[in-house]
Amino acid sequence: MGVMSTVSSGQHTRPMCYLLLLMILQLGLHTAEGVWPLPQTLISSTERFHLSPQAFYFGYGRQSAAQQGCSVLDAAFKRYFALIFPDYTSGRWNLFSDKNESKILLQIFSVDHNDCDGYPNESSSERCKMIADYLLQLVYQDDFGSYFVNKTDIKDFPRFQFRGILLDTSRHYLPVQAILKTLDAMAYSKFNVFHWHIVDDPSFPYQSRTFPDLSSKGAFHPMTHIYTQSDVRRVISHARMRGIRVLPEFDSPGHTKSWGKGQPDLLTPCYKGGIPSGTFGPINPALPSTYHFMATLFKEVSVVFPDSYIHLGGDEVDFSCWKSNPYVRAFMQKMGFGSDFTKLEAFYMENIVNITSALNKTSIVWQDVFDYHERIPKDTVLHIWKGTPASYYAELSRMTKAGMRVVLAAPWYINHISYGQDWHNYYTVQPLNFSGTEEQKKLVIGGEVCMWGEYVDATNLTPRLWPRASAAAERLWSDEKQTSNVDMAFPRLQDFRCKLVRRGIQAEPLYVGHCKQEYQGI
């Protein structure tokens, strides 16, 4: 029932999906409010189809570059079949049968390249990933348990290529299972980047093969609160099968107290009254050994994490310890930095960016690096996290005027909570509402929802994240003009929240009401 054609998009041809099986249901009491995030265009119909689990299958179009045996799509078909028909348990169905013409077929035509065995990346086309998900959202049951879907034509593609979720696993350790469930929910909301803020001041849970003491001495517990190499591979594999990139962050030179527990002479000794105080500050930028260590660590990280991007941090560096250390001050004089510690941070960050560039990685850094006028490659991506709308719009204007690509996170710090429907605040953000040319606005590659971990662990991660993060998901995926009204969005988001609950995602309620299928996990 679905077909796909190809259209020209920029420098190369990408597939575009036209689904003839979907969308808004208008049948008595058995209706869905729509899909989330909203597609770019849709034409809905009252014509409906009866779906039988015994007579339903996904299939590949003859012209598709991907065919049966494509691991990503084969697994997705099985996964979504179980989600579309959660009550069907007989198991007597044939996913790829093509002998029964009475079956409903969802076809994929003209996939112009085969990415079945690779990892998602910044140039991956997402114009076809919505097929099974939209179908999943729009299948509904009547009171007798029969499945239906209405005929609808959908053409869709994302507004921004980078749509991220940040999880902080240093301030509280998140079990692997909690991360995997988050990846599932991300896929349902069409997020495509998992920003893994894996280490920070409180703990270093990443188990390095090259420097095992970093986790054995820097994690909350060396056995139970670490991510082994196997754990990391499991997360990356789970994400790959859902079209999600895994972007690791090893933030430095600040936010590194846990690093010093397992790596001697890495952090700067702080002084008081001319003698060491016994405390330590940021990474010591004056020692050659620092850069040898960082180069070795990032060489390992670049192999473990296949994505072409790596986040280097660079935010919130406290200069007071550097100022107190006579050896650091002497190094600054030698380098001609005088007493300007922003130049010292710039020196450090420029060296770290050069290390990762030599490993063929594109660096992402927090906005502080740009604000300190550091010399970084033009392909570096800047990450805005500070301030009010007025300040981050000004920052967007400055960064894009300098020709830099930008990811916006400042308006989506959803670890901050308030009573009431605060999802409105995340939904009404206008990422491109800053002073600049159209060319500048093309440099805003997307946005990110951040869930910092001071007050979040596995007990409250999922309800705090969902469905509030889904409000940002629609802002980053859908057409802004079609999704500017929170009152019109509310019934769709409320319906989507219930779908998340039915899929086992413990998403919190938006307001008073109920779901047809309430959460059963408690």
Side-chain angles (χ1 to χ4, degrees), residues 286 288 326-339 344 347:
Y327 300 99
V328 172
R329 292 201 307 270
F331 176 77
M332 290 182 65
Q333 294 301 317
K334 176 185 174 183
M335 297 298 294
F337 298 157
S339 58
L344 181 60
F347 172 81

Side-chain angles (χ1 to χ4, degrees), residues 48-65:
R48 72 173 183 174
F49 297 90
H50 175 257
L51 301 183
S52 169
Q54 296 92 343
F56 176 95
Y57 73 103
F58 293 104
Y60 291 90
R62 293 180 181 177
Q63 300 174 17
S64 175

